[in-house]
Amino acid sequence: MLSDIFVSAGKELNTFKTPVAAPYVRKAFSAKGGKATLTVTCSGFYRAFFNGKEITRSILAPYITNPDLFMFYDRYELELAEGENVVGFILGNGLSNSLDYNVWQFENAAWRSAPKLAFSVEGEGLLVEADGSKTRPSHVIFDDFHGGEWIDRRKEIPGFSLPGYDDSDWKEVLSVQSPKGEKILSTVPPIVSVKEIKPVSIKKIGGGHAYDFGVITAGNMRLKLKAPTAGQKIRYVHTEVTKDGIPNIKTLVCGKMNTNQTFKYVARGDEEEVYEPYFSYVGCRYLFVEGLRDDQATEDAFTFVVQHGECKEWGDFSCSDEVANKIEKIIKNSDMSNLFYFPTDCPQREKNGWTGDASVSAEHLLANFDIIRQLTAWVKLIVKTQRADGALPGIVPTDKWGFMWGNGPVWDSVMFSLPYEIYRITGNKELIVYSAEAMLKYLRYARKKLNPEGLADFGLTDWVQPHCTASGHYAIRKVTSTLSLIETTQKAKKMFDVIGDEEKSAFAEDMKNTLVASFRKRCFNPRTGVVKGKTQTTQAYAIYLGILTSEEEKKALQVLLDYIKRDDGTLNVGLVGTRCLFHALSKMGESDLAYELITQSKYPSYGYMIANGATSLWEDFAKVKIKENGDLVRIEERQKLSQMPTLAVKLRMFSERMFFNGGKHKEGREGRVWSLNHHFLGDVSNWFKRCVVGICVNDGFTDPTHVDVKPCFIDKLSFAESTRETPFGKITVRWERQGKDVMIEVRTTGKLRGMIVLPEGYSFEDGATKKELVDGKYLCPAKG
């Protein structure tokens, strides 16, 4: 039973100036023993207890949602005692009672309220619900999803959920209106603790102690306080970088967020006290602690408990180049650092479900991890969030923020790319069926927004392109948005065909043809192969989508190569371009160049990040260096004259700066980085597996058991290997040079089948260039 009887401890809203303690809630009831089921939900977060024992499945339970759209319920199995039993809860604010950070407007959400709780205990002849429960403030005197937690251990009541506890001085809960959202039983995996990291150094500095854990990642700190005095106050701040060796939260923030990730603890005075948060999480490498005695500032005082959504790793890559291996490692670190029920954009600041980030990461996320249940639930929330006219916001969950800015075809494509990739891997149509009407509604909305040229000139474009100011870009919006919408219609048609909806399929096909015709007429010169805008992103995107003839692709490739040469032999792409540039180059036989662009240490590149201290994937190709003491150092660079933006682009950059950050940020993109832990530039991890090792899963979108092996033998590598797992089996491929020849080894399990297709210049010993996928070792002599 999903109870619809909701209660709250009060109506007060949480603020920094007037914090509201997380309430205890308890309800005692009599039973004859036996088994029972507890189902529980909260508009914020909850911790659950039964007869004195904590049973909470996860931090941040039950989910992070817009309660006007969905309420997620968790289920627990109970063994009832004969006589009195007690269910107890501590309620956190979550997103439903978020503070004012002057950015995403959660504080003004229509659904903002103190946490609302509903539960039921059902057994044989037994039904207990939340009405009539008792409440009082807990020792969690402040909690905020972004801001952290303040604990006063002196106010804790350890036995509040035990039978026999006297709650006569507690007040009764308030009956409140049920949230509007659809009530569903959660199938989303919990947030789990996956490993623990001890500090690599502890320094006494700046009136406190600085802890360095050696890597930027996400989770929570476990505090273990030895012999504290009663009332001893500890304050600790989590940061990604330092300033003058002191962890500094103000380095990477926006809006009013210079108070986020700040935790406070007041000791009770026990011999040893241990505390770990439940209602917040952090992204960091460094910790600055005030209030510890020197004898307490040990390596055991703080342990970094790494956490993320529970999932199975089902893809890996390694090769003879340690730079590439480290790139793979930091990408996967950031993938998991940003998996808290759904893909987030960064764990240290926003914690938002940015749609564009997840869309460009869809393929590489699913190449690395089985997060299908997380993505499925989130797509359903995206569908629910869609406005009546078909518009989608830039973040989900949201109230109203993101419909006016932060969205557009590239970002909106998430509603298509995630169901597309999930079906490609699993063959499961469920999410396509669920989303089909919303997809069509969006296509109709986007078609109405086309400009008189028939192009999509709305939304964000090639976010965080190098050499630009603030949130700038050189790629022309009507080109990238149109190309993105073409890709969306391509995927939509395939998905509508899968579910046999001929009418929707015809609509998507017609829209795609119209967009392609407009693009070719307004944005592409078939004689020269030049795509309007003269950027690597738009040039590569047109090749990647397959909307040019073979002769046009050759011309477009030469133009792209000229642009790379113009840009000093480096990549010059942002969020849009990083997903298509390297695949476009491989498609045209330039995998060695793609590999060089990725791994070289020259700025901008992924290799540059590694050479300059990255332990996680940065938000952009910022020209910065992380010093040994943790300081983030800006390295100046002038904008390249060959890439100076047009007046229109300058105006767009200015307007985005004014909207996004109050016009305060005027530094060059190459000298500023918003976050050091993002996933959206991570598709090179997919490229490593798909183009270097060559594992291609269901490219035809017809059979998820079909896997082709199409390797590229990169000149700089002596070997490369990868494993990909799907619901239908696992495939491991390794290729290794033996002089001029190459040995390929293939191992499969389950139902996987397909072909091995060799690159130009190689054949099997019998002279063939492709063979049926069969386990074994294959010597591939170089021709000539």
Side-chain angles (χ1 to χ4, degrees), residues 605-642:
S605 69
Y606 297 85
Y608 176 89
M609 294 185 194
I610 298 298
N612 286 278
T615 59
S616 51
L617 184 62
W618 299 351
E619 181 176 6
D620 60 29
F621 298 103
K623 194 165 189 182
V624 297
K625 178 181 179 65
I626 303 173
K627 295 171 65 176
E628 287 188 9
N629 70 348
D631 283 10
L632 187 71
V633 179
R634 175 181 177 181
I635 302 173
E636 296 285 353
E637 181 181 273
R638 295 176 180 269
Q639 290 182 339
K640 299 180 180 181
L641 293 177
S642 62

Side-chain angles (χ1 to χ4, degrees), residues 682-696:
D683 190 73
V684 294
S685 175
N686 173 48
W687 183 84
F688 285 152
K689 299 172 183 66
R690 179 181 176 83
C691 294
V692 177
V693 179
I695 300 176
C696 304

Side-chain angles (χ1 to χ4, degrees), residues 142-153:
F142 167 90
D143 72 277
D144 181 70
F145 180 50
H146 298 92
E149 296 181 19
W150 304 348
I151 304 299
D152 188 340
R153 212 59 183 266

